[in-house]
Amino acid sequence: MSTAIITQDAIEYTEEQRRLITDVLCKGASPVEVEFFMQVAQRCKLDPFRRQIHAVKRWDSKAKRETLTFQVGIDGLRAIAARTGEYAGNDDPVFVTESNVWHPTKATVTVYRMVHGQRIPFTSSVFWDEYVQTTREGAVTSMWQQRPFGQLGKCAEAAALRKAFPEESGGLYTEEEFREDHLPQPPPQPASPKEPPVYAEVTIKEPEPKPAPTTMEAETVEDPETPKLYDLLDAIREATTPEALKEFIADAEAFTVEKHKAAAKRTIQNRAKALGLTWDTATTSFIKIAK
């Protein structure tokens, strides 16, 4: 796995890493956008190869075109805060729930920063209706269905980190905070007027076979399952109970790409080992390893 070199002052990229950022991580972006992305990552000392920060194309209704936006992982925001030397931890999310409602309605997180020798709290609250991600049809996405408390808690923690460290993390948002269904979509293109057909003698040639993609081209083909894999791996690593871990087995089996399926299963096994669990074939569930 390629990893950028983080020095005391900034992140340094090799020529190969710059090519990977241009061809893979920022595919479709202009040279100016790619350079801007690398400068933001360097300023924040975030490693794009560890998915601490990544570039996403989104439709800008004001500019009437797609523009490059930056998303960070919650670990990226934590890393930014920790590097200041003033990050003094945070409280676990506090949730507000309602009877007969399967998800939290509100999450609150307090982040602490040392200011002139005093541990000062910075608290932020977020609401389910404002952050839950849904499909175009209005259904809650699978990740928010499986981890409603975890997803809303991340949003609250991200907001609190930005409030506590505005200069260092201002303008950086996590994937959980973007609502795809609320993003303005590009306007429909007007239909081109039909022109009267022109008839002429033509010679039909057999299409020439397309050459097989080179190794470089094959590596840069976008895989639609990759974002889902990263989300699932994050969720598996945060599982704390045998029941929660078992639910991810079906998600792993759902991948059509074998290497994604293997990566998910391997992460489940590693997480089970870390929790002191083993798979019991008799009960088809994870159980505690006998000491």
Side-chain angles (χ1 to χ4, degrees):
M1 178 180 178
S2 180
T3 303
I5 301 174
I6 301 179
T7 65
Q8 184 175 0
D9 298 323
I11 289 180
E12 297 178 359
Y13 301 114
T14 64
E15 287 302 318
E16 180 185 2
Q17 288 172 337
R18 285 179 171 272
R19 178 179 57 79
L20 287 173
I21 291 174
T22 301
D23 296 341
V24 181
L25 302 183
C26 293
K27 187 175 182 180
S30 67
V32 173
E33 290 175 324
V34 173
E35 187 63 31
F36 183 40
F37 171 74
M38 288 191 289
Q39 288 182 7
V40 171
Q42 288 175 325
R43 176 179 64 83
C44 299
K45 296 183 182 179
L46 296 177
D47 188 349
F49 298 102
R50 293 182 183 275
R51 286 185 61 82
Q52 291 180 338
I53 184 171
H54 46 280
V56 179
K57 281 280 191 177
R58 297 184 182 278
W59 179 256
D60 188 327
S61 58
K62 294 182 179 179
K64 304 299 182 183
R65 61 181 176 86
E66 284 189 330
T67 57
L68 201 69
T69 60
F70 307 138
Q71 293 178 182
V72 297
I74 190 66
D75 288 336
L77 289 179
R78 292 167 181 163
I80 291 173
R83 279 196 292 267
T84 65
E86 298 174 355
Y87 177 52
N90 62 272
D91 294 337
D92 287 337
V94 177
F95 298 100
V96 173
T97 59
E98 297 180 0
S99 59
N100 301 323
V101 178
W102 60 272
H103 59 76
T105 57
K106 176 184 175 182
T108 300
V109 169
T110 297
V111 168
Y112 296 91
R113 180 173 186 173
M114 298 303 296
V115 180
H116 300 302
Q118 294 186 341
R119 190 170 183 250
I120 305 300
F122 295 84
T123 302
S124 286
S125 298
V126 298
F127 298 87
W128 175 270
D129 291 341
E130 296 177 353
Y131 283 85
V132 61
Q133 295 183 7
T134 59
T135 64
R136 300 293 178 192
E137 292 74 26
V140 177
T141 59
S142 59
M143 186 58 64
W144 281 75
Q145 289 184 34
Q146 295 172 7
R147 304 183 63 255
F149 288 86
Q151 297 296 90
L152 195 62
K154 283 185 181 180
C155 294
E157 183 180 353
L161 284 167
R162 282 193 301 273
K163 181 182 287 188
F165 301 91
E167 183 176 352
E168 296 82 2
S169 59
L172 297 176
Y173 293 85
T174 63
E175 182 177 353
E176 291 79 13
E177 296 175 280
F178 281 99
R179 295 192 58 168
E180 296 289 346
D181 58 315
H182 286 178
L183 293 174
Q185 298 302 302
Q189 297 297 320
S192 302
K194 292 184 178 180
E195 297 181 358
V198 177
Y199 298 95
E201 292 185 1
V202 296
T203 301
I204 301 177
K205 295 182 179 180
E206 291 293 331
E208 296 181 359
K210 294 183 178 180
T214 64
T215 302
M216 181 58 64
E217 290 173 338
E219 290 178 352
T220 57
V221 173
E222 289 188 355
D223 178 4
E225 284 192 344
T226 299
K228 180 180 177 182
L229 172 65
Y230 284 127
D231 289 339
L232 180 60
L233 296 183
D234 287 341
I236 293 172
R237 295 186 185 107
E238 294 182 4
T240 57
T241 65
E243 295 77 15
L245 203 58
K246 180 180 178 181
E247 292 180 0
F248 294 123
I249 296 178
D251 295 325
E253 292 289 350
F255 286 111
T256 59
V257 179
E258 286 301 322
K259 65 178 181 180
H260 292 349
K261 186 181 299 185
K265 289 182 177 179
R266 186 166 57 251
T267 305
I268 292 174
Q269 293 173 352
N270 293 338
R271 185 56 181 166
K273 183 178 180 181
L275 295 174
L277 303 174
T278 185
W279 180 254
D280 183 28
T281 55
T283 60
T284 63
S285 60
F286 287 101
I287 60 173
K288 283 285 185 180
I289 299 176
K291 296 183 179 180

